[in-house]
Amino acid sequence: MANLPPSLSIGPSFAGPGLRLRLRQLPGTRTWRLQSSSCSTSATPSSAREPSSTSPRWGSGPVNWTGALIVAMQIELKREIFQDLAPLLWHSFGTIAALLQEIVSIYPSLSPPTLSPVQSNRVCNALALLQCVATHHDTRPPFLAAQIPLYLYPFLNTNCKARQYEYLRLTSLGVIGALVKVDDPEVIAFLLSTEIIPLCLRTMEMGSELSKTVATFIVQKIMLDDTGLHYVCATSERYFAIASVLAMMVESVSEHPSPRLLKHIIRCYLRLTDNARACSLLQKHIPISLTNGTLNKYIQDELTKRWLQQLVHNISIASRGGPLTGLDHMMGM
């Protein structure tokens, strides 16, 4: 955070009329406060303007929470310019607690489903900021240590398909997806200690195409880690849970083509063949439409084509009881 000044003011160009936010570092610490004050072109003195008694307090002064979220989201959209937003959010006094309060405040609206689009939008903004924290290399370890991803799991456990719930589901998956993107064994170990795989499988069954794609990507990244592959193949129950959902998704792609989703499905299947027992079982459980060329017309990139060729090859070799040829060897890597 050395590139940040001791005080950073975000004026109306970010915050909109009537709101000015100032980020100030406490002397001798890594703690930042987000302070707010009104800004207006009128001549009314600040002492005459009374803050709303219903506004929550973020940092050291009353702040319009919706406005503050909008400010932070606009900074997040300009992350290539403001690269230290994640440490700023994490070390700013009370900020993460306020974001978590936004999240937990709608838990009662999940069941029975009474969530409004406005509520969903507010929480999605908070989740997007948490994704920023999850992505940054300095804030990811304490983010995991605080077990913050667990606050998102109730959104993945809903079965309501209304748009506002789907947005919550997708944005929550985005936070988890940001974690697994970095190929960090500590991230995989943390996720395997939770219920993330069953929750992703649930989304893969009933989510939208986009949320299915992100959920499948998360499962794929977990299985690409050796610990993750061992975990999903350790018991027949876990293997069959994944294999049955993948097979169902292949049939769905046959009816509603999605090259992006098919790419991640194929990679998941291919990774399963790296486990000898799972590869042997796949001979009976892999959909025929995936191995007989029916879906080839939906594959748009060469890498996915090679993955599918390797998948068919591995299953064919396993059926004859021979050793598997590794993907890296086949691709000359």
Side-chain angles (χ1 to χ4, degrees):
M1 299 181 59
N3 62 328
L4 288 180
S7 176
L8 175 64
S9 178
I10 305 172
S13 61
F14 276 104
L19 178 66
R20 180 180 294 276
L21 300 180
R22 181 174 295 274
L23 300 167
R24 185 179 299 278
Q25 187 173 20
L26 300 183
T29 72
R30 296 185 67 191
T31 300
W32 289 68
R33 287 185 184 277
L34 181 58
Q35 298 174 312
S36 67
S37 60
S38 298
C39 57
S40 174
T41 55
S42 67
T44 306
S46 59
S47 59
R49 294 191 295 268
E50 296 183 1
S52 169
S53 59
T54 60
S55 296
R57 299 178 69 84
W58 193 15
S60 60
V63 61
N64 181 308
W65 179 231
T66 301
L69 277 178
I70 293 173
V71 171
M73 276 298 300
Q74 289 175 328
I75 300 175
E76 162 68 0
L77 293 175
K78 300 177 181 291
R79 67 171 67 185
E80 70 280 2
I81 300 174
F82 198 82
Q83 298 179 359
D84 284 323
L85 176 60
L88 181 59
L89 289 171
W90 186 261
H91 295 291
S92 180
F93 177 79
T95 302
I96 297 299
L99 292 175
L100 294 179
Q101 178 58 40
E102 278 289 305
I103 290 171
V104 302
S105 68
I106 67 164
Y107 283 175
S109 300
L110 298 179
S111 182
T114 57
L115 186 67
S116 71
V118 172
Q119 288 176 306
S120 176
N121 186 61
R122 284 169 58 96
V123 175
C124 284
N125 287 339
L127 291 172
L129 294 176
L130 288 183
Q131 179 174 338
C132 172
V133 176
T135 304
H136 198 280
H137 57 86
D138 286 340
T139 53
R140 186 169 57 251
F143 183 85
L144 290 176
Q147 300 188 337
I148 290 180
L150 298 182
Y151 286 90
L152 282 53
Y153 287 9
F155 303 146
L156 303 180
N157 199 36
T158 60
N159 54 15
C160 183
K161 296 186 178 182
R163 181 175 299 180
Q164 58 266 35
Y165 290 89
E166 178 61 22
Y167 286 162
L168 276 181
R169 191 158 35 244
L170 181 58
T171 313
S172 299
L173 289 169
V175 178
I176 309 300
L179 286 172
V180 300
K181 247 183 181 178
V182 298
D183 296 323
D184 185 344
E186 293 186 4
V187 170
I188 303 301
F190 170 82
L191 293 176
L192 290 178
S193 70
T194 71
E195 296 296 311
I196 189 58
I197 290 182
L199 291 172
C200 283
L201 293 179
R202 183 186 185 95
T203 300
M204 291 158 67
E205 287 182 303
M206 52 76 63
S208 67
E209 176 192 338
L210 190 53
S211 62
K212 285 181 178 180
T213 302
V214 180
T216 309
F217 168 77
I218 293 171
V219 173
Q220 168 191 317
K221 295 294 286 185
I222 290 174
M223 290 200 300
L224 286 176
D225 182 272
D226 289 341
T227 303
L229 179 63
H230 175 76
Y231 176 88
V232 301
C233 297
T235 68
S236 297
E237 180 182 13
R238 293 174 186 170
Y239 162 79
F240 283 115
I242 290 179
S244 61
V245 172
L246 288 175
M248 181 198 67
M249 293 174 71
V250 169
E251 298 305 319
S252 175
V253 169
S254 301
E255 299 173 3
H256 307 284
S258 172
R260 289 184 305 175
L261 180 55
L262 182 59
K263 177 178 182 176
H264 295 302
I265 293 172
I266 291 172
R267 190 64 184 97
C268 286
Y269 270 124
L270 178 58
R271 180 54 172 164
L272 284 175
T273 65
D274 288 336
N275 180 279
R277 181 167 174 266
C279 186
S280 178
L281 291 172
L282 279 178
Q283 299 174 55
K284 299 179 180 179
H285 301 125
I286 195 167
I288 188 64
S289 61
L290 196 60
T291 59
N292 66 1
T294 301
L295 298 179
N296 287 5
K297 57 187 175 182
Y298 303 129
I299 300 177
Q300 299 178 338
D301 62 281
E302 290 300 319
L303 179 59
T304 307
K305 291 179 182 178
R306 284 182 284 178
W307 285 347
L308 182 56
Q309 291 170 1
Q310 181 68 53
L311 171 61
V312 174
H313 172 78
N314 287 357
I315 293 176
S316 174
I317 293 295
S319 67
R320 298 196 297 266
L324 298 181
T325 302
L327 174 68
D328 292 347
H329 175 74
M330 180 181 179
M331 295 174 61
M333 298 173 61

